[in-house]
Amino acid sequence: MDVDGVSVLARGITARGPEGTVFENVDLRVSPGSLAVVCGPGGTGRTSLLLALSGRLRLVAGHLEVSGHVLPAQAR
């Protein structure tokens, strides 16, 4: 099986929830085939960041591309 991987480019992404800002002004670049690790103490927004990077959490600011597809506009 030959898998090239997925690229992720995030510039200034911000998410807010009912209790305020979850994360703000996050920049990230992950090249295809590389490994990115999200770590930190509980309650710091790790899961929310991963949901946002997968297009499942709405962003209020910034730009997000996954393999050249701008999310959420081209999520399908």
Side-chain angles (χ1 to χ4, degrees):
M1 177 182 210
D2 185 25
V3 178
D4 293 328
V6 177
S7 66
V8 178
L9 174 64
R11 284 185 261 138
I13 61 173
T14 298
R16 291 198 179 93
E19 297 181 22
T21 302
V22 179
F23 56 83
E24 185 173 37
N25 202 28
V26 174
D27 294 329
L28 173 72
R29 179 178 295 236
V30 181
S31 300
S34 64
L35 175 68
V37 177
V38 177
C39 62
T44 58
R46 296 168 305 178
T47 301
S48 296
L49 176 60
L50 293 172
L51 287 170
L53 293 175
S54 67
R56 297 187 61 206
L57 178 70
R58 188 175 72 84
L59 298 172
V60 296
H63 177 81
L64 176 61
E65 286 184 32
V66 177
S67 289
H69 300 282
V70 178
L71 298 184
Q74 298 174 336
R76 291 186 180 219

